[in-house]
């Protein structure tokens, strides 16, 4: 691995990139499930007068919210790892370039 390899070309970098994007997809799925649970609470619970559906829908919303939070945390953690790897590669490339300059270019 050198400083010029793209992040997706390296298996280690690709792993963090794919995990971050997978966690983002999980977060979005659970974020979109919350309005569906609200719709079920309103239509099948409140308007129908079924208190059990309201409780069940509220529990689903709580589970969806917690799952979304966990996926968002994982996405941020994996994205930070990708950022660290990109920064490391940029520093390697910059240091390599600076060390290969002649003293006339540095002064």
């Amino acid at each position: 691995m050198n400083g010029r390899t793209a992040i997706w070309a390296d298996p280690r970098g690709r792993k963090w990139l794919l995990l971050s994007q997978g966690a983002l997809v999980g977060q979005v799925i659970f974020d979109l499930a919350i309005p569906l649970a609200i719709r079920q609470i309103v239509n099948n619970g409140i308007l129908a007068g079924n208190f059990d559906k309201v409780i069940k829908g509220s529990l689903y919303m709580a589970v969806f919210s917690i799952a979304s939070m966990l996926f968002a945390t994982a996405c941020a953690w994996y994205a930070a790892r990708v950022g660290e790897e990109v920064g490391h590669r940029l520093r390697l490339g910059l240091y390599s370039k600076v060390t290969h300059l002649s003293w006339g270019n540095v002064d």
Side-chain angles (χ1 to χ4, degrees), residues 14-86:
R14 187 179 325 127
K15 177 181 81 168
W16 296 120
L17 185 62
L18 291 175
L19 284 172
S20 72
Q21 296 306 298
L24 181 63
V25 168
Q27 177 192 356
V28 168
I29 288 171
F30 282 107
D31 282 346
L32 292 175
I34 293 171
L36 296 176
I38 293 171
R39 184 184 69 184
Q40 291 298 320
I41 289 172
V42 172
N43 292 342
N44 299 336
I46 296 172
L47 296 179
N50 190 345
F51 188 69
D52 291 335
K53 294 278 185 177
V54 173
I55 297 297
K56 187 177 178 182
S58 300
L59 291 175
Y60 278 130
M61 277 182 40
V63 169
F64 293 159
S65 298
I66 291 170
S68 176
M69 176 196 62
L70 293 175
F71 276 109
T73 302
C75 178
W77 191 80
Y78 291 135
R81 295 294 303 242
V82 171
E84 289 172 2
E85 186 67 26
V86 168

Side-chain angles (χ1 to χ4, degrees), residues 72-99:
T73 302
C75 178
W77 191 80
Y78 291 135
R81 295 294 303 242
V82 171
E84 289 172 2
E85 186 67 26
V86 168
H88 174 71
R89 289 166 189 250
L90 287 172
R91 280 189 304 277
L92 282 178
L94 179 64
Y95 293 153
S96 174
K97 184 73 169 175
V98 168
T99 56

